[in-house]
Every structure is written in C-alpha cells, then in structure tokens.
C-alpha cells in the first residue's frame, strides 16, 4: 500500500526526533546515526579522534541496533554495558586486545544476529557464553589464540552459524580426548607437529578430564657404575597426549650422540660404556599440550674400574681408594688431601693442632694417612728430641687432651734442663707454629732474665748440642726456631 503524501511530513518529523534522541545519548567520540553506534577511532570521516583504551564507551543508547567497537584497546566486554541493548542485532569488537570474556558477556542480547570477535588475544571461552544467542546467524572468532573449546559451548547455536572461516588463524590442538565442534566445520590444526596445518573436525576440549598433563610413573634413580659399564636412567611418563621428554645433565639439555648415549621409546636414557665425563646430575622434563613436569635431579657416579683390582694405580693414594675416581680411604690409609679420606677423617699432616701447632713435615709420610684429627702421639716430642740433641733422658708424651699451657710448661722444662739454667730465667715463654714451604717450623720465644742464658745458648749451639736457628731480637729477647 502506498504511503499517503499527507503523512510524509509527519514521518520525517518522527525520524528527526528519533535521531535527535539517539544523538543525545551517544558516547563522546562515537558517531550515532539511525540506530548505528560507531566507536572506531580510525574512522577519520567523523573527525572526532579519541581512544577508549581498556574501557567500554558510556553511556550507550539502549535503542542501538548496531554497535561497532573495532580498533580500540578493549581487554574485555562488560555485561553491565551491553545488557541494556536488547534490540542490538550486530556487535563488532574485532581488532582489540580482548584476552578473556565473562560468561555473562552476551546475556540478554536475544536479538543479536552477528557477533564478530576476530583479531584479539582470546585464549579460551567460558562455558555458557553463547546461551542467550539462539538467533545468531554469524560468529567470527578468527585470528585469536584459541587452542580449544569447552565441551558443548556451541550447542545453543544454530548448526549453520559456524563455518570454517569462523575459526581461521587460531592455534587449535587436534589431539588428546577430542570434543566434536561440528562435523561439517573442520578447523586447521596447529599442534601436535605431526598434524600441523591439517584440517580436523575435532579439537582439544578444554577442561575435558581425558586431557591430562604428564605424570611421572617411573622416576630416575641415583646410580653408580664403573667405567666401561652401561647404565639406564628411567623416566616413565604418562600423559594424554603423550608429548615429548627432554633429558638434562647439570642443568643443560643433554646432547645425544646416538652411540654413546641414547633415549629409548619409553624415554629412558641409556649411557653405553660410561666415562668419567658422564658423571653428574640428571633429570628429565616432560611436556605435552596440557602441561609439563620435571623430575627431581639424581646423581650418576662413575667409578674407575681399576679401583677394584687390588693394585695401587697412579690415580690412587692407597690401594683402590683415594684420588679423583675411587672411593675414600679408611683409617690409616695413605692420602694427600682430606677428600681422599672417609667421612669423619682427615689427612693427617695437613692440619694445625687443636693447640695451634702443626703436624710433622709433609715429607714425613708416616703422618700423611687418614685419621681422626688430633695431636699425633709424641709428635712434638719427636721434634724436640731432634733439636735438643744433648738430652739423653726420655721426653714427655704430648697428647691431644693437653692444654697449650701444659705443653709450654713441658717444653720450658726440657729447654731449661738442656741449657742447664733455671726455668725462672726464661719469662714470657711462647710457642708459635708457621708453615714454610712444606716444612712446619716451631718457634720458641722467651725473654732472658740473665746473661748466663744467652751464653749457654750460644755455647750449646756452637757445640752442635742444640739444633735449630737462634735469633736475638734485642738484648734480652730470644727466638729459637726448631
């Protein structure tokens, strides 16, 4: 039926009122015309440059039929801003930086026909987000970071809504227990590598209990082997999808040479004919599309095979012990450093005494053996016997339990007897020890109270009855180095 000419002015007036009312609620920076609200800062035709940043424009006219939010910096869509738009038929939020959407983002938009969310950063979609969109005819989720969907998320939609172009440019995982999207709408797989680029009608269902991250069923164990022996470190992994396993040695990815070290189909590491360089800390890392795990580090110890032949090899400090490759030596076994000895023992001859004295010379192998740290019996007494050559009687035994003061008293008595002077003629008696090259030196320091002490010292030293070096630091201070 043709419109009566008399009604045309009235219709024009009503359209003017509608447009005026719409413009009164149009958000700043947007263009509102005939039910279309355009908030795209790149549209220079409006000559109203602006930037929404991360927030929705406000207020939005409730009578809007189309809402264009393209080319902004929106990180999410607010239901409180969209739900009043009950007449909305088109929503375009493409080319933003949407990372996630609330499950009620589109609740109440029962008249929505077109929804465009392409070219964003969406990685997942919440369950029920499309429940109100039974009248939707076009959905565009292309060029996001989607790897899969919750099972049944598209069931409220008409079968004709989804097309191949709805999902292009995403990162779908086409393995694991798969949820059917739509049998007639294949998507392009991104992972696993074996099917990358292929089309599939099923993708990974996020939250599906059939998709499981790696779990460790057989962890690697610490092992000790001899050189030339082979060893296997297990890494039993259960995962859906299976994923991959990488071995690490001393926190670095292990380089396999496929002859000396290989990995089995069950991800066990096999080291053939072990070398000393194979010793270290090992662990495995398992990764699939759902998650990853890392085993606890374990130690692989490689022992030299000659450490068990009953012979003294060049790298050992005693038969089958000590050195760089063999186990530590027990008590009274020969050594060169503390690490040659078992726990609780040290290499005697390399330590100061509890009283601050040194052991006998390192050239004396009698004391370069493993033992409990303490003063070796008669250690200092033997040194004194070699220095106080005029002494014919027995010298005292000095033990680890002796205090420094008691040791000094014994030495002072011996020296006074040797010099044929009274103990009272030697005051401020001290004993120091220092190491010169490989020979420890005992330095006796005291102050003379009589010139007869100096005369006796010089006489016996010249007569060869006193070993060592005599130094007069001043008229009364004397230092005797044994």
């Amino acid at each position: 039926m043709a419109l009566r000419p008399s009604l045309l002015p009235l219709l024009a007036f009503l359209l003017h009122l509608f447009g005026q009312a719409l413009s009164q609620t149009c958000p700043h920076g947007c263009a509102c015309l005939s039910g279309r609200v355009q908030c795209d800062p790149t549209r220079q035709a409006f000559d109203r440059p602006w930037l929404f940043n991360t927030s929705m424009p406000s207020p939005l006219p409730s009578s809007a039929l189309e809402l264009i939010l393209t080319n902004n910096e929106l990180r999410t869509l607010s239901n409180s801003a969209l739900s009043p738009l009950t007449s909305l038929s088109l929503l375009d939020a493409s080319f933003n930086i949407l990372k996630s959407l609330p499950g009620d983002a589109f609740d109440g938009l029962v008249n929505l026909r077109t929804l465009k969310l392409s070219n964003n950063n969406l990685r997942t979609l919440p369950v029920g987000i499309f429940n109100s969109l039974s009248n939707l005819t076009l959905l565009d989720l292309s060029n996001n970071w989607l790897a899969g969907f919750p099972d049944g998320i598209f069931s409220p939609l008409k079968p004709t809504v989804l097309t191949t172009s709805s999902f292009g440019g995403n990162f779908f995982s086409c393995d694991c227990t798969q949820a059917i999207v739509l049998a007639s709408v294949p998507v392009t797989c991104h992972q696993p590598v074996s099917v990358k680029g292929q089309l599939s009608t099923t993708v990974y269902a996020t939250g599906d209990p059939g998709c499981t991250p790696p779990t460790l069923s057989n962890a690697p164990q610490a092992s000790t082997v001899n050189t030339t022996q082979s060893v296997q470190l297990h890494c039993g992994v259960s995962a859906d999808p299976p994923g991959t396993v990488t071995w690490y040695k001393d926190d670095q990815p292990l380089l396999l040479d496929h002859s000396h070290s290989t990995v089995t189909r069950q991800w066990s590491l096999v080291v053939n004919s072990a070398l000393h360089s194979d010793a270290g800390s090992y662990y495995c890392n398992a990764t699939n599309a759902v998650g990853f795990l890392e085993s606890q580090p374990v130690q692989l110890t490689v022992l030299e095979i000659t450490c068990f032949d009953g012979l003294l090899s060049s790298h050992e400090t005693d038969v089958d012990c000590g050195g760089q490759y063999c186990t530590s030596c027990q008590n009274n076994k020969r050594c060169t450093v503390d690490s040659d000895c078992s726990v609780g023992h040290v290499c005697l001859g390399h330590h100061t005494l509890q009283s601050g004295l040194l052991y006998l010379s390192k050239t004396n192998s009698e004391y370069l053996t493993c033992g409990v740290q303490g003063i070796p019996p008669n250690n200092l007494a033997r040194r004194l016997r070699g220095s106080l050559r005029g002494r014919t009687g027995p010298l005292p035994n000095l033990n680890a339990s002796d205090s420094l003061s008691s040791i000094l008293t014994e030495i002072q008595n011996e020296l006074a007897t040797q010099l044929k002077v009274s103990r009272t003629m030697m005051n401020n008696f001290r004993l120091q020890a220092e190491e010169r090259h490989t020979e420890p030196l005992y330095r006796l320091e005291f102050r003379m109270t009589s010139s007869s002490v100096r005369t006796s010292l010089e006489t016996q030293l010249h007569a060869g009855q006193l070993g060592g070096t005599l130094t007069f630091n001043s008229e009364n201070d004397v230092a005797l180095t044994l």
Side-chain angles (χ1 to χ4, degrees):
M1 182 177 64
L3 189 65
R4 294 171 55 183
S6 60
L7 296 178
L8 290 177
L10 177 61
L11 179 60
F13 177 72
L14 292 176
L15 289 175
H16 172 74
L17 291 179
F18 177 78
Q20 187 178 33
L22 189 62
S23 63
Q24 289 174 354
T25 59
C26 191
H28 175 71
C30 298
C32 302
L33 182 64
S34 301
R36 182 182 179 92
V37 180
Q38 177 124 17
C39 304
D40 186 335
T42 65
R43 298 298 297 267
Q44 299 300 322
F46 299 107
D47 195 27
R48 300 170 69 180
W50 59 279
L51 194 63
F52 279 139
N53 291 324
T54 61
S55 62
M56 292 277 291
S58 179
L60 290 170
S62 60
S63 57
L65 302 177
E66 298 181 358
L67 177 59
I68 313 298
L69 301 173
T70 53
N71 297 300
N72 286 285
E73 296 181 1
L74 300 178
R75 287 181 169 81
T76 189
L77 299 178
S78 169
N79 174 257
S80 61
L82 293 176
S83 59
L85 311 182
T86 55
S87 300
L88 197 66
S89 64
L90 182 148
L91 174 59
D92 190 351
S94 303
F95 295 96
N96 280 276
I97 53 175
L98 299 175
K99 293 184 177 181
S100 63
L101 296 174
D104 63 352
F106 309 124
D107 284 3
L109 304 184
V110 294
N111 291 307
L112 196 64
R113 301 292 192 273
T114 301
L115 177 59
K116 297 182 179 182
L117 301 171
S118 66
N119 295 281
N120 281 286
N121 296 330
L122 295 173
R123 296 179 180 271
T124 184
L125 294 175
V127 177
I129 190 172
F130 301 127
N131 284 353
S132 295
L133 307 185
S134 58
N135 290 317
L136 199 67
T137 59
L138 186 149
L139 175 63
D140 188 356
L141 295 169
S142 61
N143 298 312
N144 279 280
W145 292 85
L146 295 169
F149 305 106
D151 195 15
I153 188 174
F154 299 115
S155 57
L157 305 181
K158 298 176 181 179
T160 56
V161 171
L162 302 177
T163 64
T164 301
S165 60
S166 300
F167 307 114
N170 280 279
F171 294 84
F172 292 116
S173 174
C174 302
D175 51 18
C176 196
T177 299
Q178 299 169 331
I180 295 178
V181 179
L182 282 176
S184 60
V185 184
V187 299
T188 303
C189 301
H190 180 74
Q191 56 182 340
V193 176
S194 59
V195 296
K196 185 173 183 178
Q198 299 180 16
L199 295 179
S200 173
T201 58
T202 57
V203 296
Y204 160 47
T206 57
D208 193 306
C211 301
T212 57
T215 57
L216 199 59
S217 57
N218 190 6
Q221 302 293 323
S223 300
T224 300
V225 296
N226 298 331
T227 51
T228 73
Q229 288 183 326
S230 296
V231 63
Q232 186 172 107
L233 300 178
H234 298 287
C235 185
V237 174
S238 300
D240 187 7
T244 58
V245 171
T246 303
W247 278 94
Y248 288 79
K249 176 180 181 288
D250 297 331
D251 294 324
Q252 297 297 323
L254 182 62
L255 299 178
L256 305 175
D257 59 12
H258 304 294
S259 59
H260 179 64
S261 56
T262 58
V263 174
T264 69
R265 290 187 176 182
Q266 290 73 38
W267 304 114
S268 294
L269 173 65
V270 178
V271 179
N272 299 306
S273 298
L275 305 172
H276 293 299
S277 58
D278 293 319
S281 176
Y282 289 79
Y283 63 89
C284 59
N285 180 305
T287 305
N288 73 351
V290 189
F292 70 96
L293 67 78
E294 191 172 274
S295 70
Q296 291 296 319
V298 297
Q299 195 70 25
L300 175 61
T301 303
V302 181
L303 301 178
E304 172 61 44
I305 194 171
T306 58
C307 294
F308 308 94
D309 57 6
L311 302 174
L312 180 61
S313 302
S314 59
H315 59 81
E316 300 168 347
T317 59
D318 210 326
V319 176
D320 295 345
C321 74
Q324 184 178 359
Y325 306 124
C326 298
T327 56
S328 55
C329 294
Q330 301 301 314
N331 196 35
N332 295 325
K333 292 287 188 177
R334 288 189 295 273
C335 57
T336 57
V337 293
D338 285 348
S339 58
D340 295 329
C341 303
S342 59
V343 176
H345 292 74
V346 296
C347 188
L348 300 178
H350 286 190
H351 292 267
T352 59
L353 304 179
Q354 294 174 1
S355 61
L357 306 179
L358 292 174
Y359 285 93
L360 277 178
S361 167
K362 291 181 180 179
T363 60
N364 188 339
S365 61
E366 178 183 356
Y367 289 103
L368 289 177
T369 57
C370 295
V372 179
Q373 185 173 358
I375 298 179
N378 298 324
N379 180 5
L380 186 56
R382 293 187 183 196
R383 176 58 65 86
L384 288 173
R385 182 180 291 113
S387 297
L388 305 181
R389 297 167 187 164
R391 180 68 175 173
T392 57
L395 292 173
N397 284 336
L398 302 177
N399 300 308
S401 59
D402 293 341
S403 65
L404 180 58
S405 60
S406 63
I407 293 175
L408 291 176
T409 300
E410 293 292 343
I411 295 175
Q412 190 173 9
N413 289 336
E414 293 297 326
L415 190 58
T417 302
Q418 174 76 17
L419 298 177
K420 298 181 177 62
V421 298
S422 171
R423 284 185 67 251
T424 59
M425 295 182 178
M426 296 182 293
N427 295 333
N428 300 332
F429 203 88
R430 295 191 305 164
L431 177 60
Q432 294 182 333
E434 58 182 277
E435 193 167 8
R436 300 278 183 85
H437 303 292
T438 60
E439 183 73 14
L441 303 177
Y442 296 122
R443 181 181 176 90
L444 302 175
E445 297 179 353
F446 55 93
R447 173 165 290 183
M448 300 178 299
T449 60
S450 172
S451 60
S452 61
V453 177
R454 176 169 181 165
T455 302
S456 179
L457 282 170
E458 293 175 328
T459 300
Q460 295 198 43
L461 190 64
H462 293 314
Q465 295 177 333
L466 186 64
T469 303
L470 188 63
T471 305
F472 294 94
N473 298 326
S474 66
E475 184 177 351
N476 296 322
D477 293 333
V478 180
L480 177 62
T481 303
L482 304 179

